[in-house]
Structures are given as structure tokens and as C-alpha cells.
Amino acid sequence: MSIETLLCPADQAGVARAAALLRQGEIIALPTETVYGIAADARNGSAVKKIFAAKGRPQDNPLIVHIDDVGMLPGLVSEFPERARLLAAAFWPGPLTIIMPRGPEVADECCAGLDTVGIRMPSHPVVRQVIEASGCAFAAPSANRSGRPSPTTAQDVWADMQGRLPLILDGGPCAVGVESTVVSVVGAKPTLFRPGHITLEDLERALGEEVELSPAILEKLAEGEVARSPGMKYKHYAPRADITILEGTLEQFKAYVEAHAAQDPACLCFAGEGAKLAPFPCVEYGREGDGDDQARHIFRSLRALDEQGDRVVYARCPRKDGVSMAVYNRLIRAAAFRVVAL
């Protein structure tokens, strides 16, 4: 696959070009507040297929549909449950995907054979302008080759997708840095399938009830289990290096890395720790204990490991609550669940 790719500013002309391509059944890359995404008209199955081809994405991995107004929901969902209304009122527009019963207008290719669909109303002005100008609710996963770290700048998208789609809109770096929170309101209890900037505690406050945590957030998806949400696959978000997460103090971490110096390892560590881990090459991914800061930096830092040519990487372990849960969720998949307790 090789087509001419244009990288252009996300200005009025760029938005108009993107909207025209979407209406023509093409795919485009654009910024959201979470990560950059590849968009196609969610009602056009042949357009959606181009997303899977460009990414090399498995067909059993569902896509999220993006809207800019709840008035777009009819036809995309068959029901707008009360729990979904509460969550939408609290968090839309914003980095929250709500899984609801699927409507008849969503292309089969978006849903991986499921009877549900994930819907999100992003807050990034460029996305909202493209939806308004095109009239399209669009399906959009992250704009990277499947399995690779998600892109948070247009340059990251270019590195992965140049020659695989006609247009990349450059809207600057993404503010959140990890994909949207995914919560299902289908079934007896609401269930969190993918953590993000909107936390489990945020969801429970908005709903006034307990939200179940899918075991697949912190553990491997069980053999044969269906992926109910994007981001549930075994290995995901991964650089080319083999990553192992080390749970323990900085002193324990340094001792372990020194004991494995023959592997010529690099370190993925917290801000300010690089100098303490010399002479090992380090990439820092945010302040210790600060989930928001880590989320903004984690994917760019994973890509930096590739840019350094690292092959073996030991990573400092983030916390597993609040926004840090989202960072840990991405990191354990990048590490193919290799975690060592020190």
C-alpha cells in the first residue's frame, strides 16, 4: 500500500479538505484531545475497511464512533439508556466512550460482530469542526500501525502512516495523551473496559453507583474471550524493545538493572530519575505519582525508546489507581504483561 499523503495544518482549509475526503469515502488522520485518530464515515462499511487495511488492525477489534452532538445518536444507537444520559451530561464533550446498544445505521465493520457500539463526543475543536463540516459520524481508532504506541503528534502519525492514507491534519500535541475511558452501560451493572483520563471514581460519582472493573484492564484477556472494547488485546501500544516492568523502589530498580547490565538495557523512568540511573540510557515518562503527567508523556516516551534503538528496557511501575490506572493499563500491554515484583 502506497498513496500520496499530505500533512497539512488543521486550519479552515485543512478541515474543509478532510471533510470532503470523508464524504468521498476516504480515511484521514486528525488530532483529538486523547491521541491522533484515523477517521472514516461510520455508516460507510467500505470506507471503514480502509482503516483496518491502513493500520493492519485485526477485524475482531471494534472501533469507536465519534459525534459532535447527541442529536446524531438516533440510528447509531437503538437506545440511549438513562445511565448513558447521566454520563454524557457529566463528561461530554470529553474523553469518554459509552458502549450502548447498536443502531441500524452503524456499519458492521465498526462493531466486530457485537450488538453494541462505543460512542464518544470529543472536545477537540478540530474533530468537532470536521464532523460539522462533513456531516459524518466517524469511526476512529488511534492513527498508528496496529500494536505500536499510539501517536500524540502529527509527526508520530507521519512516521507510521505516511503512504497509507491521503491526509494528516496537524493540530499540535494531544492534551490528554491516552485513549478515552470506555464504559459499558449495557447489562445489569455499568462496567469499565478501558481506563483513561476520566477515572473509575469519576464514573461512580456521576452515576451514583458502583462501576464494575473488567478483569482485562489489569490482566490478560482470557483465551477465546471477545474484546468488548478497543485496547483489550494481549500486546498493544508496544515499541520494538522488549519491556519488563519492575515493581519496587528506585533503589531496588537500579540494583536490578545493574544486575542485568550484560543485556545492555535502557530504563523507562520517572522525571528526574535519569541522572540517578547513569550510565544506563533513560527515557522519562512523567512525574512519579502524577497520572496526568505520565499519561501526557507515555506514548511519546515509548516511541523515543525506538528512536534510541533500545532492545531491552526496564520500566518503573506507575500506580494503579486514578489516571495512573490508564498508564499502567497501557504499559503492561506494551510489556506483554512482563512484570517483576522486587
Side-chain angles (χ1 to χ4, degrees):
M1 172 186 290
S2 184
I3 59 178
E4 183 179 357
T5 301
L6 177 65
L7 175 62
C8 74
D11 53 16
Q12 187 174 356
V15 166
R17 186 188 293 266
L21 286 167
L22 285 174
R23 288 194 300 269
Q24 293 161 18
E26 288 296 339
I27 59 175
I28 56 112
L30 77 176
T32 78
E33 71 273 28
T34 57
V35 299
Y36 273 72
I38 298 179
D41 182 352
R43 294 178 171 89
N44 183 338
S46 32
V48 174
K49 283 181 181 177
K50 294 178 182 179
I51 293 176
F52 289 94
K55 283 177 63 73
R57 182 185 177 97
Q59 297 280 340
D60 64 349
N61 204 358
L63 304 178
I64 291 167
V65 177
H66 295 64
I67 62 173
D68 73 339
D69 188 270
V70 292
M72 298 182 78
L73 286 174
L76 299 176
V77 298
S78 61
E79 181 188 355
F80 189 24
E82 180 58 26
R83 283 175 175 141
R85 293 175 188 272
L86 288 171
L87 292 171
F91 303 115
W92 279 2
L96 177 68
T97 294
I98 306 173
I99 296 178
M100 292 181 269
R102 176 185 167 186
E105 295 180 13
V106 181
D108 291 342
E109 289 79 1
C110 293
C111 300
L114 302 171
D115 59 2
T116 55
V117 62
I119 305 285
R120 169 161 126 75
M121 187 190 294
S123 62
H124 197 290
V126 172
V127 177
R128 299 179 67 79
Q129 290 163 18
V130 171
I131 295 173
E132 183 178 4
S134 66
C136 296
F138 60 71
S142 55
N144 54 292
R145 297 291 294 275
S146 189
R148 296 269 296 132
S150 299
T152 54
T153 68
Q155 290 68 37
D156 290 341
V157 181
W158 180 267
D160 273 14
M161 305 306 299
Q162 189 270 332
R164 305 180 75 84
L165 45 70
L167 179 68
I168 301 169
L169 286 183
D170 186 351
C174 300
V176 173
V178 293
E179 295 85 353
S180 62
T181 303
V182 178
V183 62
S184 174
V185 297
V186 177
K189 291 185 177 180
T191 303
L192 179 64
F193 281 126
R194 183 175 72 185
H197 183 72
I198 293 168
T199 67
L200 177 67
E201 297 78 12
D202 293 334
L203 298 172
E204 290 181 334
R205 278 193 295 271
L207 290 172
E209 63 178 311
E210 183 181 4
V211 174
E212 290 193 341
L213 199 65
S214 168
I217 286 177
L218 302 178
E219 303 167 10
K220 297 177 188 177
L221 197 65
E223 188 68 32
E225 188 177 350
V226 173
R228 307 291 301 183
S229 158
M232 296 180 76
K233 292 295 186 178
Y234 167 64
K235 189 173 183 183
H236 209 40
Y237 316 113
R240 297 182 183 90
D242 288 330
I243 296 179
T244 301
I245 300 169
L246 305 182
E247 287 190 285
T249 65
L250 177 60
E251 292 72 22
Q252 291 170 321
F253 179 91
K254 184 175 182 180
Y256 189 96
V257 175
E258 288 173 344
H260 293 78
Q263 297 176 327
D264 195 23
C267 300
L268 184 64
C269 60
F270 299 127
E273 293 181 346
K276 301 172 185 176
L277 292 167
F280 301 102
C282 293
V283 172
E284 298 178 353
Y285 77 95
R287 295 184 294 271
E288 185 172 8
D290 187 337
D292 288 327
D293 192 46
Q294 293 166 11
R296 279 191 293 272
H297 293 96
I298 184 61
F299 287 136
R300 178 87 288 278
S301 297
L302 290 173
R303 286 178 174 266
L305 296 171
D306 280 346
E307 291 159 8
Q308 288 185 172
D310 297 317
R311 287 290 173 260
V312 174
V313 174
Y314 293 111
R316 292 275 276 136
C317 187
R319 291 169 50 175
K320 302 172 189 177
D321 59 355
V323 178
S324 294
M325 182 192 289
V327 178
Y328 182 74
N329 169 267
R330 299 335 187 255
L331 196 51
I332 54 172
R333 281 165 169 77
F337 291 84
R338 286 185 295 267
V339 181
V340 174
L342 303 176

Coordinates of all heavy atoms in Angstrom, one line a residue, residues 176 271 285-298 323 327:
V176 N -4.4 15.1 26.4 CA -4.6 14.1 27.4 C -3.5 13.0 27.3 O -2.8 12.6 28.3 CB -6.0 13.4 27.3 CG1 -6.1 12.2 28.2 CG2 -7.1 14.4 27.6
A271 N 10.3 11.3 35.9 CA 11.0 12.6 35.7 C 12.0 12.8 36.8 O 11.7 12.6 38.0 CB 10.0 13.7 35.7
Y285 N 9.1 9.4 31.6 CA 7.7 9.4 31.1 C 6.7 10.1 32.1 O 5.5 9.9 32.0 CB 7.2 8.0 30.8 CG 6.8 7.1 31.9 CD1 5.5 7.0 32.3 CD2 7.7 6.3 32.5 CE1 5.1 6.1 33.3 CE2 7.4 5.4 33.5 CZ 6.0 5.3 33.9 OH 5.6 4.4 34.9
G286 N 7.2 11.1 32.9 CA 6.3 11.8 33.7 C 6.7 11.7 35.2 O 7.5 10.9 35.6
R287 N 6.1 12.6 36.0 CA 6.5 12.7 37.4 C 5.9 11.5 38.2 O 4.8 11.0 37.9 CB 6.0 14.0 38.0 CG 6.6 15.2 37.5 CD 6.1 16.5 38.2 NE 4.7 16.7 37.9 CZ 4.3 17.5 36.9 NH1 5.1 18.0 36.0 NH2 3.0 17.7 36.7
E288 N 6.6 11.0 39.1 CA 6.2 9.8 39.9 C 4.9 10.2 40.7 O 4.8 11.3 41.3 CB 7.2 9.4 40.9 CG 6.9 8.2 41.7 CD 8.0 7.7 42.6 OE1 9.0 8.4 42.7 OE2 7.8 6.6 43.2
G289 N 3.9 9.4 40.6 CA 2.6 9.6 41.3 C 1.7 10.5 40.6 O 0.6 10.8 41.1
D290 N 2.1 11.1 39.5 CA 1.3 12.1 38.8 C 0.7 11.5 37.5 O 1.4 11.5 36.4 CB 2.1 13.3 38.4 CG 1.3 14.5 37.8 OD1 0.2 14.2 37.3 OD2 1.8 15.6 37.9
G291 N -0.5 10.9 37.6 CA -1.1 10.1 36.5 C -1.3 11.0 35.2 O -1.1 10.6 34.1
D292 N -1.7 12.2 35.4 CA -2.0 13.1 34.3 C -0.7 13.4 33.5 O -0.7 13.4 32.3 CB -2.6 14.5 34.8 CG -4.0 14.3 35.3 OD1 -4.7 13.5 34.7 OD2 -4.4 15.1 36.2
D293 N 0.4 13.7 34.3 CA 1.7 14.0 33.6 C 2.2 12.7 32.9 O 2.7 12.8 31.8 CB 2.7 14.5 34.7 CG 3.9 15.0 34.0 OD1 3.8 15.8 33.1 OD2 5.0 14.7 34.5
Q294 N 2.1 11.6 33.5 CA 2.5 10.3 32.9 C 1.7 10.0 31.6 O 2.3 9.6 30.6 CB 2.4 9.2 33.9 CG 3.4 9.3 35.1 CD 3.0 8.3 36.2 OE1 2.1 7.4 36.0 NE2 3.6 8.5 37.3
A295 N 0.4 10.2 31.7 CA -0.4 10.0 30.5 C 0.0 10.9 29.3 O 0.0 10.4 28.2 CB -1.9 10.2 30.9
R296 N 0.3 12.1 29.6 CA 0.7 13.0 28.5 C 2.0 12.5 27.8 O 2.2 12.8 26.6 CB 0.9 14.4 29.0 CG -0.4 15.2 29.2 CD -0.2 16.7 29.5 NE 0.5 16.9 30.8 CZ -0.2 17.1 31.9 NH1 -1.5 17.0 31.9 NH2 0.4 17.3 33.0
H297 N 2.8 11.8 28.5 CA 4.1 11.5 28.0 C 4.4 10.0 27.6 O 5.3 9.7 26.9 CB 5.2 11.9 29.0 CG 5.3 13.4 29.2 ND1 4.7 14.1 30.3 CD2 6.0 14.4 28.6 CE1 4.9 15.3 30.2 NE2 5.7 15.6 29.2
I298 N 3.5 9.1 28.1 CA 3.9 7.7 28.0 C 4.1 7.2 26.5 O 5.1 6.6 26.2 CB 2.8 6.8 28.7 CG1 3.2 5.3 28.7 CG2 1.4 7.0 28.2 CD1 4.5 5.0 29.4
V323 N -5.9 8.3 37.3 CA -5.5 8.3 35.9 C -4.3 7.3 35.7 O -4.0 6.8 34.6 CB -5.1 9.7 35.5 CG1 -4.6 9.8 34.1 CG2 -6.3 10.7 35.6
V327 N -2.4 4.6 32.7 CA -1.0 4.5 32.3 C -0.5 3.1 32.5 O 0.2 2.5 31.6 CB -0.1 5.5 33.1 CG1 1.4 5.3 32.7 CG2 -0.6 6.9 32.9

